[in-house]
Amino acid sequence: MTSPPAEDIRFLDIAEAATLLRVSKLTVYRLVHSGDLPAVRTDRAWYVPLDATLAYLDTHDAARYTD
């Protein structure tokens, strides 16, 4: 399996990922730190690949995670 070209990879910030998953930002941070949701960290911010977020939605019932 080949990786998509870098210009085709889209990233969401934590707030955008939380909105898409319909959970709080704290829950997204927990998912990232537990390794359930891949993310990249820059100097001070985390970014989650859009494809990974959509895949997570496909395989998990996001509604069961509560804060």
Side-chain angles (χ1 to χ4, degrees):
M1 184 171 170
T2 61
S3 298
E7 64 269 3
D8 290 344
I9 299 174
R10 310 255 188 243
F11 288 92
L12 305 173
D13 64 23
I14 294 296
E16 292 168 331
T19 300
L20 185 60
L21 293 171
R22 294 182 154 196
V23 297
S24 72
K25 291 190 295 185
L26 180 61
T27 300
V28 176
Y29 280 116
R30 287 179 182 154
L31 291 170
V32 167
H33 289 292
S34 70
D36 291 332
L37 190 62
V40 218
R41 185 173 184 180
T42 62
D43 226 6
R44 300 172 68 174
W46 286 93
Y47 295 96
V48 181
L50 175 60
D51 291 345
T53 307
L54 295 174
Y56 186 85
L57 276 175
D58 286 343
T59 58
H60 293 84
D61 179 15
R64 69 183 163 151
Y65 292 101
T66 58
D67 295 332

